[in-house]
Amino acid sequence: MADHQNGNARTTNGKASGGASAYAINLDSFGKRLKMLYSHWNEYNDDLWGTSEALAIATPPPSEDLRYLKSSALNVWLVGYEFPDTIMVFMKTQIHFLCSQKKASLLEVVKKSAKEAVGAEVVMHVKAKNDDGTALMESIFGAVRAQSKLDGHDTPVVGYIAREAPEGNLLETWADKLKNASFQLSDITNGFSDLFGVKDGGEITNVKKAAYLTSSVMKHFVVPTLEKVIDEEKKISHSSLMDDTEKAILEPARIKVKLKAENIDICYPPIFQSGGGFDLKPSASSNDENLYYDSTSVIICAIGSRYNSYCSNVARTFLIDANAMQSKAYEVLLKAHDAAISALKPGNKAGDAYQAALSVVEKDAPEFVASLTKSAGTGIGLEFRESGFNLNGKNERVLKPGMVFNVSLGFQNLQTQTNNPKTQKFAVLLADTVIVGEKHAEVLTSITSKAVKDVAYSFNDDDEEEQPKVKAVSKGSNALPSKATLRSVNQDSKEEQRRQHQAELARQKNEETARRLAGGGSGLADNRGAVKSSGELVPYKNVNDLPSPRDLMIQIDQKHEAILLPIYGSMVPFHVAMVKSVSSQQDTNRSCYIRIIFNVPGTPFNPHDANSSKFQSSIYVKEVSFRSKDPRHITEVVQLIKSLRRQVASRESEKAERATLVTQEKLQVAGTKFKPIRLTDLWIRPVFGGRGRKLTGTLEAHTNGFRYSTSRHDERVDVMFGNVKHAFFQPAEREMITLVHFHLHNHIMVGNKKTKDVQFYVEVMDVVQTLGGAKRSAYDPDEIEEEQRERDRKNKINMDFQNFVNRVNDLWGQPQFKALDLEFDQPFRDLGFHGVPHKASAFIVPTSSCLVELIETPFVVITLNEIEIVNLERVGLGQKNFDMTIVFKDFKRDVFRIDSIPSTSLDGIKEWLDTTDLKYYESSLNLNWRPILKTITDDPEKFIEDGGWEFLNMEASDSDSDHSQESDQGYEPSDVQSDTGSEEEEEDSASLVESEDDDEEVSEEDLEEDEGKTWEELEREASRADKEKGAESDSEDERKRRKIKAFGKARVPDKRNPSGSLPKRPKFR
């Protein structure tokens, strides 16, 4: 560990330390930075360098301890290596090095560069192994005195780093001689702090790589490890987590970070704290106590890594089933932390960051001011804490572009009321590595989310054993529960809680709908608008363009898309789009007839009616027929006309589709310096057109969008980040494909198809397999090996897709894409159910923000935020299946139906809908929704007055119905009689139809009145009654037909019935 920290020099080009040949000093960088040192020294000598005439820097020998020294930082900054046990003295015209022979040989190459850069001569003082270096030191002192006399000073002023205590024999001897050399000593710490404050391009790159590693370890190792420990209720100590995290930093390949391990180190041992013992200082350590994650507990994790000696840091706080005070403390801290980062702008003072954070706390939670840390962080770079760049309220140093800060803010020693003494005392901490840009600050560790939804975990208190819920990762208010949430111990209490929650949702939904309808509209625009007609099709713009006639025969001009017909000795052109149909027929005399029918105004189907309507006064040819004795010519003409007609129709259809497209921004292709994120050998859906062999392609993530392309130049699709509404990643589990799917805001063209859904997938195994005639044993080695290969292939494909998704998520986490709120969503298979959304059965699964089906086409992507209510239809005892109808907030949009859902999925769907705050209703019949929605949009005020959606609530009407005979309590007499005199509804009106049993119900009086009559007597009476009315008796088939016709119709909310309950159906005696 110590060698990694300070013992050995570390190359900037990634070569391992070892022999002298392993090191190579970058002379360009050395000359540039030496010039910067001398320029800064000359410009700020009086203010920061203590009017020094010479700068003496002594680097101590290697140590086992983690430490950050200005002398070591100067070594790395200037020559790219750390030179322990070395003394450097900079003067105006000379640079002296006192070191061993090995180090001197390395430094020989800088002599020429130093002379060219600042005009200084490099002098080497090689110390023998057993020499204490006294004579060499006297030689250096003599050079300092000589230089001072030339400058006209009697007593030389020598600058040194006062805060660094001498270590080792060489440095202790040097310190003693320096104090006794009659020099005036001056502290130059502030000079080096200011010099190192602004980073150049190479330094910024190193900091960014270090920050990427740090945040990747936090996101892809620490967070999953903590979640697994909590989920499996493991016992693990803070120190064990520290060791595992340190290994993950030092071995970046474990988390798929492509940085060389030899260039990487830790800034400090990773810090894990929980169970009430919190220390927010970077010097804190992880103790041997176990991680504590019971209810209302807080876990703090801080990690830092170095790349080429440049530091980065990140810290996060995780809340487990937080109470109100803990949640408030974190939310206020998050807001204050963002305010401090926003204040890091060029021209502002360093103290402004802390003042911005303090203002937020004073405004939102003044009771937490006393617990706020006294600083908002420090500068960071070659040193973990750069002196002079402390972000406290008193620092007046002006910020400049290129400065890097560790913005660390927290509340400490907070007390809350809990039942567990280990959780009564808590703290919260946030830290990020931030660069001051030209206009605003850039957060380098932003891929590790600090949003409340990503750090707050909750537990299911209904279970005997607490199981963690999935984090609330939804967009908006739709939070998807984990499998643990849907487990039920007491079904009765769960159902009662669900009913209460649904009642509250009904109240909120009616209020929301009332506000939206009162706002003047039903939601979004009508998506069923008319399609623009295509332009006028003209085959020849000039008579001279007509081809020269050959014979008076039918000709096909494919270039001008025209048919030339011989009419009265002249060739008359017709555009092929005017042809409605063409056919040929052969008679017995070996003559062939061809019949061409044209599109004319007034025909039932005429795609160009809008154009032809401009010439309604003209005379049109409706059809023509020709006879020929050449059957082959007629057959060829028919085929050519049909083929050309198909091509033109396809082109015009595509042109009409493209005319409705929204203009997209242009894709900015990633340069050669930054390779795009790539996924190869993918198929696309919808597929490109054409009859050629389909090819796989490559999906690349560029600066502002994706590009999919195959080896054919015309097969290319660009998907802009700004057009992505939802992104999904679905690995192959029980499916045959692994896929990424994009649901878009606006349509794009894929080939000649207009679509809002684009999918890229790989088949993890062959969909069709050849079945051998003979049976194969389950223990057949070839069979086992083949199954293993299939599993390995599936795992590899899933891993490749997962890596692609992770890298794109990191890209979307950058500040310029935060407004898009994009992140790949993954379906929750445990909450899925089977149903028929279109024509075929499919497995439909929820995600955190949608309900999707991404395997069968056409795809299903329903955004939960766009749903008004869900109606579960055909729900009842004895039903094997039920239907789900989704009503959208845009009432002009057709409802979406999912049919034939197994009744075994009903409870799970109701629980999911309730947990995602979606109001649902149940009905025993299917409803006709178009007239219902039309009635709502025609008279929204009446809809609200009648109780809103509560007309769908069948519980009240069911409890008061006349079917009490079927209840367990038996028949009870009542003075209230049911209404039997309501008007009979017309057959064409929309109504709810009760079961056929109602038609056959008769009262006791009818039974008593008809008792004793035979079937023959009843038939005779019925015939007489029909003859008296002058109408014939209905047949059994006609009665069945009427019942079938009536079944399934739905009732619009009755405006005459404010309660919204259903009127009783009249009974005829």
Side-chain angles (χ1 to χ4, degrees):
M1 183 70 67
D3 289 344
H4 286 281
Q5 297 300 324
N6 293 295
N8 291 340
R10 189 173 293 277
T11 66
T12 56
N13 58 6
K15 294 182 180 180
S17 57
S21 60
Y23 299 96
I25 295 174
N26 188 329
L27 297 180
D28 291 338
S29 176
F30 171 79
K32 179 182 175 182
R33 292 182 178 177
L34 183 65
K35 196 172 183 179
M36 287 174 58
L37 170 61
Y38 274 76
S39 175
H40 194 278
W41 181 15
N42 292 330
E43 185 175 356
Y44 302 103
N45 195 8
D46 294 338
D47 298 331
L48 300 174
W49 298 95
T51 64
S52 302
E53 299 174 64
L55 308 179
I57 293 90
T59 309
S63 171
E64 295 292 332
D65 299 327
L66 279 170
R67 59 184 183 179
Y68 295 94
L69 304 174
K70 283 281 189 297
S71 56
S72 300
L74 176 64
N75 286 186
V76 176
W77 181 79
L78 189 60
V79 294
Y81 302 97
E82 184 179 343
F83 283 82
D85 229 12
T86 301
I87 297 170
M88 296 184 287
V89 179
F90 298 89
M91 297 187 295
K92 301 297 182 183
T93 58
Q94 290 182 330
I95 302 174
H96 295 263
F97 290 95
L98 196 161
C99 55
S100 64
Q101 178 62 54
K102 185 176 180 181
K103 297 184 183 73
S105 61
L106 283 172
L107 294 169
E108 283 289 336
V109 295
V110 304
K111 289 184 175 180
K112 183 178 179 182
S113 297
K115 192 72 174 177
E116 293 174 352
V118 295
E121 179 186 357
V122 175
V123 181
M124 296 294 177
H125 303 271
V126 179
K127 184 182 80 70
K129 190 171 184 179
N130 297 323
D131 186 9
D132 61 358
T134 303
L136 301 175
M137 295 175 193
E138 290 294 342
S139 174
I140 295 174
F141 292 162
V144 172
R145 292 188 183 98
Q147 179 68 47
S148 180
K149 285 182 180 180
L150 290 175
D151 294 340
H153 300 129
D154 296 331
T155 304
V157 180
V158 177
Y160 77 115
I161 304 173
R163 299 179 185 178
E164 292 186 7
E167 299 179 22
N169 295 332
L170 179 65
L171 268 63
E172 288 175 355
T173 304
W174 169 262
D176 290 339
K177 284 196 164 291
L178 193 62
K179 290 178 181 179
N180 299 324
S182 66
F183 292 154
Q184 181 183 341
L185 300 181
S186 178
D187 187 13
I188 56 174
T189 301
N190 291 336
F192 281 118
S193 295
D194 195 70
L195 176 65
F196 297 152
V198 178
K199 276 70 177 174
D200 60 24
E203 293 178 289
I204 292 294
T205 299
N206 287 329
V207 172
K208 286 184 175 181
K209 289 182 178 181
Y212 178 73
L213 172 62
T214 304
S215 51
S216 297
V217 171
M218 178 67 79
K219 181 176 182 179
H220 301 306
F221 180 80
V222 174
V223 173
T225 300
L226 292 177
E227 288 178 346
K228 185 177 181 181
V229 168
I230 297 172
D231 187 29
E232 299 178 1
E233 297 187 358
K234 291 182 177 180
K235 290 185 177 181
I236 185 170
S237 65
H238 299 135
S239 56
S240 297
L241 287 170
M242 175 194 71
D243 293 337
D244 294 341
T245 306
E246 183 175 329
K247 290 177 182 177
I249 295 173
L250 298 177
E251 300 174 17
R254 292 174 58 181
I255 53 171
K256 310 299 181 183
V257 174
K258 296 180 180 180
L259 294 175
K260 293 183 179 180
E262 58 264 26
N263 296 338
I264 291 169
D265 211 335
I266 61 171
C267 292
Y268 55 87
I271 300 172
F272 290 86
Q273 299 175 352
S274 65
F278 297 100
D279 183 0
L280 302 189
K281 297 177 182 178
S283 57
S285 60
S286 303
N287 56 34
D288 293 329
E289 294 184 7
N290 287 335
L291 184 72
Y292 195 78
Y293 46 83
D294 281 2
S295 181
T296 66
S297 60
V298 174
I299 301 172
I300 291 179
C301 175
I303 57 176
S305 66
R306 300 203 295 177
Y307 183 81
N308 283 340
S309 299
Y310 284 85
C311 302
S312 65
N313 186 55
V314 68
R316 293 291 181 262
T317 299
F318 302 99
L319 308 175
I320 310 298
D321 200 10
N323 59 24
M325 181 180 179
Q326 291 171 334
S327 298
K328 181 179 180 181
Y330 185 83
E331 290 170 1
V332 173
L333 177 66
L334 179 60
K335 190 175 179 181
H337 192 253
D338 288 338
I341 293 174
S342 300
L344 295 177
K345 297 179 180 179
N348 287 1
K349 296 178 181 178
D352 292 346
Y354 185 77
Q355 292 297 335
L358 182 62
S359 298
V360 171
V361 180
E362 289 176 340
K363 178 182 177 182
D364 294 351
E367 66 272 20
F368 294 152
V369 170
S371 300
L372 185 67
T373 52
K374 303 307 178 186
S375 168
T378 61
I380 192 171
L382 288 168
E383 298 175 278
F384 185 76
R385 285 178 288 182
E386 293 183 337
S387 59
F389 288 92
N390 196 356
L391 297 179
N392 55 33
K394 301 177 182 179
N395 196 336
E396 297 291 323
R397 184 161 292 186
V398 177
L399 301 179
K400 300 176 183 178
M403 290 183 174
V404 184
F405 291 93
N406 167 33
V407 183
S408 178
L409 200 68
F411 293 128
Q412 52 194 349
N413 300 323
L414 294 175
Q415 297 282 342
T416 185
Q417 295 296 326
T418 65
N419 297 327
N420 193 330
K422 277 199 167 186
T423 60
Q424 291 178 356
K425 183 179 179 181
F426 72 98
V428 286
L429 175 68
L430 288 174
D432 278 301
T433 305
V434 180
I435 293 179
V436 179
E438 294 292 339
K439 295 182 180 180
H440 55 78
E442 178 184 358
V443 182
L444 301 183
T445 49
S446 59
I447 65 172
T448 304
S449 177
K450 58 184 177 182
V452 177
K453 65 185 180 68
D454 292 322
V455 301
Y457 296 78
S458 59
F459 281 74
N460 188 0
D461 294 329
D462 293 333
D463 292 343
E464 291 181 4
E465 294 183 4
E466 294 180 330
Q467 298 289 338
K469 282 185 183 180
V470 167
K471 293 181 291 186
V473 294
S474 68
K475 297 177 184 177
S477 62
N478 298 325
L480 196 73
S482 68
K483 184 178 179 180
T485 310
L486 298 183
R487 288 201 304 262
S488 175
V489 177
N490 190 328
Q491 292 293 344
D492 294 337
S493 62
K494 279 253 180 200
E495 183 65 26
E496 182 60 29
Q497 292 175 6
R498 199 158 61 206
R499 286 185 180 182
Q500 294 176 2
H501 187 221
Q502 283 293 305
E504 176 64 20
L505 285 178
R507 183 187 63 80
Q508 296 175 3
K509 181 58 64 177
N510 285 331
E511 292 177 357
E512 176 193 334
T513 306
R515 286 194 301 269
R516 193 170 69 251
L517 293 177
S522 59
L524 306 174
D526 188 357
N527 294 326
R528 297 190 291 268
V531 180
K532 295 181 181 179
S533 61
S534 59
E536 186 176 355
L537 299 171
V538 179
Y540 302 104
K541 295 182 179 180
N542 196 311
V543 178
N544 297 327
D545 295 337
L546 285 168
S548 56
R550 292 173 291 179
D551 298 324
L552 290 178
M553 299 174 62
I554 300 176
Q555 299 179 25
I556 311 298
D557 187 352
Q558 296 195 13
K559 179 180 178 181
H560 293 89
E561 300 172 351
I563 305 169
L564 288 92
L565 302 179
I567 300 178
Y568 293 111
S570 300
M571 301 300 292
V572 180
F574 293 84
H575 196 282
V576 73
M578 297 299 297
V579 176
K580 182 177 181 181
S581 65
V582 59
S583 60
S584 63
Q585 187 178 0
Q586 190 171 359
D587 63 7
T588 55
N589 296 326
R590 296 186 179 179
S591 296
C592 237
Y593 294 89
I594 181 170
R595 183 186 183 192
I596 302 174
I597 301 175
F598 296 99
N599 288 308
V600 296
T603 53
F605 176 73
N606 182 14
H608 302 289
D609 192 63
N611 294 317
S612 57
S613 62
K614 295 186 296 185
F615 310 103
Q616 290 184 354
S617 61
S618 302
I619 298 175
Y620 287 84
V621 178
K622 186 174 182 180
E623 67 174 83
V624 293
S625 297
F626 294 91
R627 185 180 63 179
S628 173
K629 293 186 178 181
D630 188 355
R632 276 192 289 182
H633 175 67
I634 293 296
T635 303
E636 182 182 356
V637 166
V638 170
Q639 294 299 325
L640 286 174
I641 292 175
K642 288 183 177 180
S643 175
L644 186 59
R645 186 168 169 269
R646 276 196 304 267
Q647 294 175 15
V648 173
S650 175
R651 186 197 67 209
E652 292 301 313
S653 174
E654 181 180 348
K655 186 186 296 183
E657 293 287 354
R658 290 186 183 275
T660 62
L661 295 178
V662 176
T663 304
Q664 303 288 333
E665 60 181 316
K666 189 175 181 181
L667 182 72
Q668 299 177 13
V669 181
T672 56
K673 186 175 181 181
F674 301 100
K675 293 183 178 179
I677 307 169
R678 182 172 295 158
L679 203 56
T680 58
D681 296 329
L682 302 180
W683 300 98
I684 185 174
R685 290 197 290 186
V687 298
F688 292 108
R691 300 184 179 181
R693 186 171 64 89
K694 301 297 183 291
L695 300 175
T696 59
T698 300
L699 180 66
E700 297 177 340
H702 291 276
T703 305
N704 64 335
F706 298 98
R707 168 166 287 178
Y708 174 83
S709 58
T710 69
S711 57
R712 296 193 181 106
H713 68 279
D714 58 336
E715 293 186 349
R716 176 183 294 175
V717 175
D718 292 342
V719 180
M720 299 298 106
F721 294 157
N723 195 26
V724 176
K725 185 176 183 180
H726 300 293
F728 305 101
F729 162 54
Q730 183 168 318
E733 293 183 12
R734 299 175 188 173
E735 299 84 11
M736 308 294 280
I737 62 174
T738 296
L739 61 90
V740 289
H741 186 101
F742 300 105
H743 182 67
L744 309 177
H745 290 285
N746 301 307
H747 289 85
I748 64 171
M749 297 297 293
V750 177
N752 58 357
K753 300 181 184 68
K754 182 179 175 183
T755 181
K756 265 191 176 182
D757 290 279
V758 186
Q759 184 179 110
F760 308 97
Y761 69 96
V762 170
E763 295 178 355
V764 296
M765 59 181 69
D766 295 332
V767 178
V768 179
Q769 294 183 349
T770 304
L771 301 178
K775 289 186 177 181
R776 302 183 68 176
S777 169
Y779 302 99
D780 186 352
D782 294 338
E783 186 79 9
I784 296 172
E785 185 179 352
E786 184 177 350
E787 291 177 358
Q788 184 61 41
R789 280 198 302 268
E790 289 180 352
R791 282 194 294 269
D792 293 343
R793 170 179 163 79
K794 181 172 74 172
N795 293 336
K796 182 181 183 302
I797 291 174
N798 287 345
M799 185 60 67
D800 291 342
F801 272 72
Q802 184 68 64
N803 292 337
F804 176 83
V805 166
N806 290 341
R807 294 181 65 189
V808 173
N809 279 339
D810 295 342
L811 178 64
W812 284 342
Q814 295 180 4
Q816 62 267 34
F817 300 121
K818 280 190 175 180
L820 301 178
D821 193 19
L822 291 176
E823 187 176 7
F824 274 98
D825 212 347
Q826 191 165 333
F828 295 90
R829 286 193 57 91
D830 295 340
L831 303 179
F833 55 89
H834 289 276
V836 182
H838 296 289
K839 293 183 179 179
S841 178
F843 188 64
I844 302 155
V845 287
T847 71
S848 61
S849 59
C850 296
L851 183 67
V852 301
E853 190 285 304
L854 304 176
I855 303 298
E856 303 295 335
T857 54
F859 305 117
V860 175
V861 179
I862 300 172
T863 305
L864 300 185
N865 282 339
E866 297 176 358
I867 295 177
E868 176 76 5
I869 60 159
V870 175
N871 195 44
L872 306 177
E873 303 176 350
R874 293 197 303 115
V875 175
L877 293 174
Q879 295 282 2
K880 292 184 179 180
N881 300 302
F882 69 96
D883 306 327
M884 176 191 292
T885 300
I886 298 172
V887 182
F888 297 98
K889 293 178 181 178
D890 177 13
F891 291 157
K892 293 182 180 180
R893 182 177 173 184
D894 287 335
V895 299
F896 188 84
R897 292 179 55 85
I898 302 175
D899 298 326
S900 302
I901 304 173
S903 296
T904 53
S905 302
L906 180 60
D907 286 338
I909 290 175
K910 287 160 67 174
E911 183 69 19
W912 167 67
L913 291 171
D914 185 67
T915 313
T916 51
D917 291 339
L918 286 174
K919 175 60 184 170
Y920 67 86
Y921 294 92
E922 298 180 49
S923 63
S924 58
L925 301 171
N926 293 116
L927 304 183
N928 190 358
W929 281 97
R930 283 196 176 182
I932 294 176
L933 296 179
K934 186 176 185 302
T935 303
I936 295 173
T937 54
D938 289 347
D939 193 356
E941 294 181 0
K942 186 66 175 175
F943 169 71
I944 299 302
E945 290 175 2
D946 291 346
W949 293 109
E950 283 306 292
F951 76 90
L952 293 172
N953 190 354
M954 308 296 289
E955 292 183 0
S957 59
D958 288 345
S959 63
D960 297 334
S961 66
D962 292 332
H963 299 291
S964 59
Q965 296 174 356
E966 299 176 3
S967 66
D968 296 335
Q969 297 177 359
Y971 171 77
E972 292 181 6
S974 173
D975 294 334
V976 181
Q977 296 181 358
S978 61
D979 297 329
T980 59
S982 61
E983 295 181 1
E984 181 179 2
E985 297 178 349
E986 294 181 359
E987 185 176 274
D988 294 335
S989 66
S991 64
L992 279 171
V993 179
E994 298 179 3
S995 64
E996 294 180 49
D997 296 337
D998 290 345
D999 296 337
E1000 299 170 4
E1001 284 185 4
V1002 291
S1003 65
E1004 288 187 18
E1005 296 177 0
D1006 294 333
L1007 291 174
E1008 292 174 359
E1009 181 182 345
D1010 295 338
E1011 188 175 1
K1013 292 183 179 181
T1014 64
W1015 287 106
E1016 290 79 5
E1017 292 173 339
L1018 292 173
E1019 187 68 26
R1020 283 195 297 271
E1021 288 180 3
S1023 299
R1024 283 196 301 268
D1026 290 339
K1027 289 177 181 178
E1028 290 174 358
K1029 293 180 180 179
E1032 295 183 357
S1033 175
D1034 290 342
S1035 66
E1036 183 67 24
D1037 292 338
E1038 288 172 337
R1039 287 195 295 271
K1040 287 183 178 179
R1041 178 176 56 79
R1042 283 202 300 271
K1043 287 183 179 181
I1044 293 172
K1045 189 173 182 180
F1047 184 79
K1049 290 188 177 179
R1051 184 180 69 85
V1052 180
D1054 192 357
K1055 298 180 181 179
R1056 296 168 299 176
N1057 186 8
S1059 65
S1061 61
L1062 298 176
K1064 299 295 184 295
R1065 186 173 183 174
K1067 302 176 184 177
F1068 298 96
R1069 299 178 180 174

